[in-house]
Amino acid sequence: MTHSTTRKILMSRRTLIKAAAASGATGLVPGLQSAVYAQGSDKPEKEEVRIGFIPLTDCASVVMASVLGFDKKYGVKIIPTKEASWAGVRDKLVNGELDMAHVLYGLVYGVHLGVGGPKKDMAVLMTLNNNGQAITLSKKLADKGAVDAASLAKLMSTDKREYTFAQTFPTGTHAMWLYYWLASVGVNPMKDAKVITVPPPQMVANMRVGNMDGYCVGEPWGHRAIADGIGITAVTTQDIWKDHPEKVLGTTGEFVKKYPNTARAVMMAILEAGRWIDAGLQNKNKMAETVADKSYVNTSVDVINQRILGRYQNGLGKTWDDPNYMKFFNDGAVNFPYLSDGMWFLTQHKRWGLLKEHPDYLAVAKQVNQIDLYKQAAGALKVSVPASPMRSSKLIDGVVWDGKEPAKYADGFKVKV
């Protein structure tokens, strides 16, 4: 390397350091200032943002955006607010006590259509994570041979009684993963089983006292059942739908209209946090140490850090490395709010009778998912976005979902209400 080249690199580093220092001092970001927005100033209209979260590993990008100071970089202050249940998150979003939330995709759509609580115009700003949930069966059920969907269906048909399964919110992701998995082997969750709603942090305790035979929830509560010796992992949700959308950054339509710059600034902070988490082993371990704290998930670090590294065990001696573990950024592939993702939840809400009639699937998704705002935030950070707001995926039963003909797709399932 020549002296001239070395000097240029040093100058470049000094320039970056000065720019970073200036950013920290003013709360402004060079990339943000140069971005072209529709009108007016880029300055966040509301600088303090209360973001609700449930104690789950996938709250991590919201928490780390605050802990690492990415929020301040974009001129906002994220105040993570720990909540006890999804119903509580819903109510506080609707009444404005929370500005935004780490929230279930299907909860946002359920509220928007008035089938998951009081009807309110809602918004999905971005997807927070892909994958990383699991369906747990009790150890007692496993001892009788029920260790996956097929063996569970066989046991339910031969050892007849009322089987109880838990999800976390009636229109939410965990309910839809559980229903889809059961139906893939011919078990109708509406007719052949009893389904109850239990807040995520209470799942393990409820299984321990025998209140349910199985449950679907986000980590670390799947792995925790194995660590406690009371349950086994029957399937991961990435095996139901590889790279499925999971939690989103949700808010109300009213908030987006009133505070678009704030919404964009928060999205940028969380995009950076997700990129930081996915950047390497050291960052993932640091994240696990942070969110394990009683202020957030309140569990031991070792319950969290194995599955975020893709190191799985099922509680019966089987171990495997899963490349489709929970991801927060994945070079931006995680975060785009695909219209087809939102529409999928509507098709399942119709399938299971939560919606009585077919909605205008595409129109609803366009109302809820803030594609333009996301593109602005991603563009300012030079995060790539897909060419189409639709994507195609094959789920566990072999059926392909691509966002086309949603009514036909919803009506096409053999097992439904």
Side-chain angles (χ1 to χ4, degrees), residues 105-111 115-116 169-173 175-176 345 349 354:
Y105 215 129
L107 183 153
V108 174
Y109 272 74
V111 173
V115 297
F169 190 81
T171 64
T173 52
M176 298 308 123
F345 287 97
H349 294 169
L354 296 162

Side-chain angles (χ1 to χ4, degrees), residues 126-149:
M126 61 188 287
T127 303
L128 293 177
N129 67 293
N130 287 168
N131 308 326
Q133 325 294 297
I135 294 177
T136 299
L137 295 179
S138 73
K139 197 68 166 52
K140 290 179 181 176
L141 225 54
D143 290 341
K144 291 186 176 183
V147 297
D148 55 22

Side-chain angles (χ1 to χ4, degrees), residues 161-194:
R161 63 173 175 83
E162 184 177 74
Y163 287 82
T164 302
F165 300 99
Q167 40 76 21
T168 64
F169 190 81
T171 64
T173 52
H174 303 117
M176 298 308 123
W177 311 141
L178 176 66
Y179 298 168
Y180 204 99
W181 180 71
L182 290 170
S184 71
V185 290
V187 176
N188 189 322
M190 301 299 147
K191 298 174 182 174
D192 303 331
K194 178 182 178 183

Side-chain angles (χ1 to χ4, degrees), residues 133-371:
Q133 325 294 297
I135 294 177
T136 299
L137 295 179
S138 73
K139 197 68 166 52
K140 290 179 181 176
L141 225 54
D143 290 341
K144 291 186 176 183
V147 297
D148 55 22
S151 53
L152 173 65
K154 183 179 179 182
L155 180 67
M156 291 176 72
S157 67
T158 55
D159 186 8
K160 292 187 179 296
R161 63 173 175 83
E162 184 177 74
Y163 287 82
T164 302
F165 300 99
Q167 40 76 21
T168 64
F169 190 81
T171 64
T173 52
H174 303 117
M176 298 308 123
W177 311 141
L178 176 66
Y179 298 168
Y180 204 99
W181 180 71
L182 290 170
S184 71
V185 290
V187 176
N188 189 322
M190 301 299 147
K191 298 174 182 174
D192 303 331
K194 178 182 178 183
V195 179
I196 59 175
T197 301
V198 174
Q202 297 176 25
M203 285 291 190
V204 174
N206 272 275
M207 179 169 275
R208 183 178 290 112
V209 298
N211 284 347
M212 78 272 271
D213 296 290
Y215 61 76
C216 183
V217 73
E219 295 299 338
W221 308 121
H223 186 67
R224 178 65 185 269
I226 293 172
D228 289 4
I230 62 168
I232 61 108
T233 294
V235 69
T236 63
T237 53
Q238 52 265 35
D239 283 339
I240 297 173
W241 178 357
K242 179 188 168 187
D243 292 338
H244 67 76
E246 184 48 46
K247 304 302 184 301
V248 295
L249 183 64
T251 184
T252 62
E254 182 181 359
F255 188 95
V256 172
K257 289 177 184 172
K258 195 172 180 181
Y259 306 115
N261 293 346
T262 297
R264 190 166 44 235
V266 172
M267 292 159 73
M268 293 170 71
I270 293 176
L271 273 171
E272 282 227 43
R275 178 159 56 189
W276 180 89
I277 293 168
D278 280 4
L281 177 65
Q282 187 175 0
N283 291 1
K284 289 187 175 74
N285 282 327
K286 175 66 176 175
M287 177 273 278
E289 290 172 12
T290 303
V291 302
D293 187 80
K294 64 181 180 181
S295 302
Y296 304 113
V297 180
N298 191 21
T299 190
S300 57
V301 177
D302 60 347
V303 172
I304 293 177
N305 64 6
Q306 293 300 302
R307 290 197 167 183
I308 62 166
L309 298 173
R311 297 169 187 162
Y312 275 72
Q313 59 169 298
N314 70 347
L316 294 167
K318 178 186 174 184
T319 60
W320 70 100
D321 290 328
D322 189 341
N324 306 314
Y325 56 88
M326 184 184 295
K327 295 189 174 95
F328 296 89
F329 183 70
N330 194 17
D331 291 331
V334 167
N335 311 102
F336 186 79
Y338 286 96
L339 297 177
S340 54
D341 285 359
M343 293 164 66
W344 185 85
F345 287 97
L346 296 176
T347 67
Q348 300 306 299
H349 294 169
K350 177 64 174 66
R351 178 185 183 184
W352 301 119
L354 296 162
L355 289 171
K356 302 306 177 190
E357 306 293 335
H358 287 292
D360 186 336
Y361 292 92
L362 183 58
V364 172
K366 285 182 175 178
Q367 289 167 9
V368 175
N369 289 19
Q370 305 297 307
I371 299 283

